[in-house]
């Protein structure tokens, strides 16, 4: 295996909850310099797949592999992989800056990085307010700042645009594009198809825990008349659902 070819690899991942497979034989790869969009309806298994890749859940079968190893076996996992999972996870009494200080100390990053990432995510002005008073978008910006803190080579982001305002979304698109263009590797889940259409090089679509489509964005747009949403609705079977529910 050439380690540099695919920094992110899902190899036959399977996870069962209460006897029902919720992630079932999921395989895909993400090459350096690529942004891959992980799409699928609510409950499809995107977050579970991401948790399996990040070693936060144990697969019943298959492997999640980052730079050739399971996440937990990486020498400096949090400096290798920047992750955004749940913007709700901030302690309400701690300020944004305190969260980043704790994260920086834990992963061995110089505290001087904190001001840099706070400025980058547009949170310098609000960094010393308790997170309990932050809006969803502000919490999301702190979560993104934490992911960038260790200058990772790989970003794995679960709905990173959640709560961001249009300027924040545009900043994130440009940031992720620049990150990938500099050789970084990005996996992001999102329901915002226009966002994904603008940024992703490749798309993996999951429905009911299984990969139902994976393709380059170029091929998808060529085949769908430039419309990722039409493609998505088709491959997830949602187009049929909408037709059946159409108000006459
Ligand atoms: N810890 C758990 N225990 C039981 N069921 C779970 C657990 N985690 C996830 N599930 C179930 O697995 C399925 C996939 O959930 P997951 O969060 O991965 O979906 P998702 O694609 O991220 O959805 P959404 O777009 O709504 O965030 C859902 O049916 C969910 O209820």
């Amino acid at each position: 295996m050439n380690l540099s070819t695919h920094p992110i690899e899902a190899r036959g991942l399977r996870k069962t909850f209460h006897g029902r497979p919720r992630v079932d034989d999921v395989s895909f790869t993400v090459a350096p310099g690529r942004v891959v969009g992980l799409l699928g309806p609510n409950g499809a298994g995107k977050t579970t797949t991401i948790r399996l890749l990040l070693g936060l859940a144990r697969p019943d079968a298959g492997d999640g592999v980052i730079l050739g190893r399971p996440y937990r076996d990486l020498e400096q996992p949090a400096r290798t992989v920047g992750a955004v999972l749940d913007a709700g996870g901030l302690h309400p009494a701690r300020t944004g800056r305190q969260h980043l200080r704790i994260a920086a100390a834990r992963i061995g990053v110089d505290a001087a990085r904190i001001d840099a990432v706070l400025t980058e995510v547009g949170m310098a002005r609000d960094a010393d307010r308790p997170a309990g008073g932050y809006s969803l978008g502000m919490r999301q910006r702190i979560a993104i700042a934490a992911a960038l803190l260790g200058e990772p080579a790989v970003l794995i982001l679960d709905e990173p645009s959640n709560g961001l305002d249009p300027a924040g979304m545009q900043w994130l698109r440009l940031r992720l594009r620049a990150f990938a263009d500099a050789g970084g590797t990005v996996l992001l889940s999102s329901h915002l198809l226009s966002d994904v259409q603008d940024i992703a090089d490749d798309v993996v679509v999951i429905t009911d825990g299984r990969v139902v489509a994976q393709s380059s964005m170029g091929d998808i747009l060529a085949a769908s008349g430039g419309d990722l949403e039409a493609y998505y609705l088709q491959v997830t079977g949602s187009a049929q659902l909408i037709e059946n529910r159409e108000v006459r």
Side-chain angles (χ1 to χ4, degrees):
M1 181 185 60
N2 180 350
L3 294 188
S4 67
T5 311
H6 295 120
I8 302 175
E9 292 183 72
R11 299 180 185 160
L13 284 174
R14 182 182 173 93
K15 183 71 182 174
T16 298
F17 293 116
H18 308 301
R20 186 166 160 189
R22 296 299 190 168
V23 168
D24 196 2
D25 198 20
V26 165
S27 297
F28 60 84
T29 57
V30 188
R34 308 290 282 186
V35 177
V36 169
L38 184 60
L39 308 181
N42 289 134
K46 303 178 296 297
T47 298
T48 305
T49 299
I50 284 175
R51 289 176 59 80
L52 292 170
L53 286 169
L54 292 171
L56 295 169
R58 192 179 292 275
D60 296 315
D63 298 296
V65 180
I66 309 288
L67 294 165
R69 298 184 195 183
Y71 178 88
R72 286 172 183 281
D73 294 346
L74 291 169
E75 271 170 32
Q76 294 187 300
R79 295 187 68 167
T80 308
V81 184
V84 168
L85 264 170
D86 179 8
L90 299 180
H91 190 293
R94 289 195 189 124
T95 67
R97 188 188 302 281
Q98 284 169 337
H99 278 99
L100 294 177
R101 266 201 207 119
I102 292 166
R106 197 183 59 233
I107 67 177
V109 166
D110 194 310
R113 274 285 293 156
I114 294 172
D115 277 331
V117 291
L118 280 169
T119 302
E120 210 189 338
V121 303
M123 282 294 289
R125 215 182 49 184
D126 295 293
D128 298 308
R129 285 174 50 197
Y134 286 170
S135 68
L136 172 62
M138 293 165 102
R139 293 200 301 275
Q140 193 71 343
R141 284 169 188 256
I142 293 294
I144 295 167
L148 296 173
L149 204 51
E151 301 182 84
V154 174
L155 288 173
I156 298 183
L157 312 171
D158 195 10
E159 305 201 35
S161 311
N162 199 11
L164 293 187
D165 57 26
M169 281 162 66
Q170 190 191 34
W171 168 80
L172 184 65
R173 274 201 302 275
L174 295 172
R175 182 65 173 85
L176 294 182
R177 186 71 261 158
F179 179 85
D181 288 347
T185 305
V186 183
L187 175 68
L188 84 155
S189 81
S190 181
H191 290 294
L192 300 175
L193 298 182
S194 60
D195 231 30
V196 174
Q197 180 164 339
D198 281 349
I199 193 199
D201 300 297
D202 306 286
V203 164
V204 175
V205 187
I206 300 185
T207 300
D208 281 337
R210 301 189 72 96
V211 175
V212 293
Q214 48 184 319
S215 184
S216 75
M217 187 65 77
D219 286 352
I220 291 170
L221 297 182
S224 63
D227 188 348
L228 175 62
E229 186 175 56
Y231 171 85
Y232 169 87
L233 293 174
Q234 201 60 48
V235 296
T236 57
S238 310
Q240 188 67 40
L241 265 174
I242 291 169
E243 271 166 32
N244 290 346
R245 285 181 193 162
E246 212 168 17
V247 180
R248 289 167 202 281

